[in-house]
Amino acid sequence: MKTQVLIIGGGPSGLLLSQLLYTRGIDSIVLERKTKDYVLGRIRAGVLERGLLDLMREAGVADRMEKEGFPHDGTLISYDDEIFRVDFSEHTGHAVMVYGQTEVTRDLYEAREKANGKIEYNVENVVIHDADSDAPYVTYDIGGEARRVDCDFIAGCDGFHGVSRQAIPLDVRKEYEKIYPFGWLGILSETPPVNHELIYANSSRGFALCSMRNENLSRYYIQCSLSDSPDDWTDEAFWEELKRRIPADQAEKLVTGPSIEKSIAPLRSFVTEPMRWGRLFLCGDAAHIVPPTGAKGLNTAASDVHYLYNGLRDFYENNSSEGIDTYSQKALARVWKAERFSWWFSSLMHRFPDQTDFDYKIQLAELEFLRENEAAQKAMAENYVGLPY
């Protein structure tokens, strides 16, 4: 087979890139190592930045999001029994949208299928060949049959454990990483959210987050030890711990119920440079990971898609390689700002195992400064709704 852009990874970033290219008449094939149902079964983030909202509209897949998503004009931050609000709309003129990543992915699958887009599932043994030449190609197996796709460009949207980043030689790429000494225990429950806006909580017992997917589907998290297992936590123990970490007035109105999903996510910050090697471009988790505090994972992947899509469009429509030549530089400049914000917000809201009394007092001073200072709130709001592309 032959295509213009071969996309490795059928998650939201790969599908979004494929759909955007389709709107400009640029051909692509998507390779996904799992089934469609498996991809849709992954529970992920649900806060969309303004830039991703615009990309969804440009891709023609925003109708359901506009009807069913929940615009959020601000967020609540608590420490101990104190709570204050950061108003995004007031400080930036923009809001974010609460709309699950699973729903984003479902909308993109529907659009690609409607357009007869080529998506190969259950692919194995994916190998990238000659990415540093003008004639790259990819080989893979499907159902025991060996296949090959020749292409102009390869987009690696296959996540942290995918093959794309590994295809860049070690003497070319440099990796930066920070591992956080705790995880997030998260549950999904068919209960109404405790508040119509997200609550980020810093308590003496550790971090907590009250989030939601819709009016009767809530997502809650608590900071936990990396040695914990989801099986260590009964639903009752989770709810009791969550109540201890959020302000008393919020805990009193918390509606509890059985969990329909429970998992623990480790936290890390990770960036690889460069994000381009020859005709291979890395997007999203293949190139960078952020801790989930601040909801930058999917949104930073979307900014990569923005830069790559526009670079490829310029290449095919205007015969200009400037966009693809500057892709890594532009993407990384924004990635590092998102990494900084995620690191800052994580450092502000969590209790660290080796935290001293001095560290706590500094954290408390930072929280009180954020509560009282309009400029600090504006800076946070600008980062939360998404820095411009």
Side-chain angles (χ1 to χ4, degrees):
M1 292 184 287
K2 183 168 177 57
T3 189
Q4 290 172 298
V5 182
L6 190 283
I7 299 171
I8 304 175
S13 56
L15 295 170
L16 179 59
L17 177 61
S18 180
Q19 179 66 14
L20 286 165
L21 293 172
Y22 164 76
T23 66
R24 310 301 296 197
I26 300 168
D27 186 53
S28 67
I29 294 174
V30 177
L31 304 182
E32 169 54 46
R33 66 187 181 92
K34 298 290 189 178
T35 64
K36 175 183 172 182
D37 286 343
Y38 179 91
V39 176
L40 289 172
R42 291 186 296 212
I43 304 297
R44 293 290 187 270
V47 178
L48 312 185
E49 288 181 358
R50 57 175 174 142
L52 176 49
L53 301 181
D54 290 341
L55 284 175
M56 293 281 283
R57 295 173 184 124
E58 187 174 353
V61 293
D63 288 353
R64 193 163 71 95
M65 177 189 75
E66 304 278 20
K67 291 175 187 173
E68 300 179 13
F70 293 84
H72 275 208
D73 295 319
T75 195
L76 297 166
I77 296 176
S78 76
Y79 52 104
D80 299 322
D81 260 344
E82 302 290 328
I83 192 164
F84 65 96
R85 183 173 185 267
V86 177
D87 191 316
F88 303 149
S89 296
E90 177 187 336
H91 290 301
T92 72
H94 298 281
V96 294
M97 181 78 78
V98 172
Y99 188 66
Q101 180 173 319
T102 301
E103 305 311 312
V104 170
T105 308
R106 183 175 283 113
D107 294 342
L108 287 164
Y109 270 135
E110 184 179 317
R112 296 311 301 126
E113 289 165 1
K114 185 177 179 181
N116 295 315
K118 181 80 169 166
I119 304 175
E120 298 264 55
Y121 298 101
N122 294 312
V123 302
E124 298 177 310
N125 303 320
V126 176
V127 180
I128 296 169
H129 303 268
D130 297 344
D132 58 340
S133 75
D134 291 337
Y137 66 98
V138 172
T139 57
Y140 60 98
D141 297 335
I142 186 165
E145 176 189 342
R147 297 189 182 179
R148 167 175 168 154
V149 180
D150 293 272
C151 53
D152 297 332
F153 301 100
I154 300 167
C157 305
D158 51 348
F160 183 77
H161 299 289
V163 302
S164 297
R165 184 176 72 256
Q166 304 302 327
I168 301 178
L170 286 171
D171 62 347
V172 174
R173 62 185 160 99
K174 181 176 175 61
E175 297 181 348
Y176 305 82
E177 186 172 42
K178 176 180 176 62
I179 303 294
Y180 296 81
F182 41 72
W184 276 18
L185 170 64
I187 72 164
L188 197 65
S189 64
E190 291 178 326
T191 54
V194 67
N195 195 287
H196 69 282
E197 292 185 331
L198 272 65
I199 301 174
Y200 290 88
N202 176 328
S203 84
S204 61
R205 302 180 66 90
F207 170 79
L209 170 61
C210 302
S211 183
M212 73 285 292
R213 291 295 175 267
N214 58 46
E215 291 174 337
N216 199 49
L217 191 61
S218 297
R219 186 77 163 146
Y220 294 105
Y221 300 92
I222 57 173
Q223 176 183 342
C224 67
S225 170
L226 284 172
S227 62
D228 284 1
S229 161
D231 295 335
D232 298 335
W233 288 84
T234 64
D235 288 351
E236 292 75 16
F238 178 90
W239 291 120
E240 285 306 309
E241 186 60 32
L242 177 65
K243 287 178 181 179
R244 293 187 183 105
R245 298 188 186 192
I246 60 178
D249 62 329
Q250 302 295 320
E252 285 176 9
K253 61 181 183 179
L254 180 69
V255 178
T256 65
S259 63
I260 56 177
E261 193 270 346
K262 187 186 296 176
S263 58
I264 291 179
L267 273 66
R268 65 153 56 93
S269 298
F270 174 86
V271 180
T272 190
E273 296 183 350
M275 288 173 59
R276 177 202 181 182
W277 182 57
R279 295 291 184 106
L280 169 63
F281 301 85
L282 303 182
C283 277
D285 287 0
H288 43 77
I289 301 284
V290 290
T293 330
K296 290 292 164 233
L298 174 60
N299 291 300
T300 308
S303 71
D304 297 343
V305 169
H306 163 82
Y307 293 121
L308 183 54
Y309 157 62
N310 281 287
L312 292 169
R313 188 178 74 171
D314 211 28
F315 177 85
Y316 285 111
E317 294 180 356
N318 303 314
N319 198 30
S320 169
S321 64
E322 182 181 356
I324 57 175
D325 289 343
T326 59
Y327 166 74
S328 182
Q329 178 185 350
K330 288 180 178 177
L332 282 167
R334 194 177 187 280
V335 162
W336 276 112
K337 292 183 179 71
E339 292 280 349
R340 184 211 67 83
F341 175 71
S342 299
W343 161 83
W344 169 79
F345 203 24
S346 297
S347 302
L348 180 66
M349 300 308 298
H350 292 82
R351 296 297 175 97
F352 287 73
D354 60 350
Q355 189 167 322
T356 65
D357 290 344
F358 177 86
D359 295 333
Y360 167 67
K361 286 292 190 179
I362 291 294
Q363 197 176 56
L364 184 62
E366 179 84 359
L367 283 160
E368 291 181 344
F369 180 72
L370 180 61
R371 177 177 187 161
E372 298 162 1
N373 189 276
E374 188 173 334
Q377 290 194 15
K378 186 175 191 298
M380 179 190 164
E382 287 175 345
N383 280 274
Y384 200 98
V385 303
L387 298 174
Y389 293 157

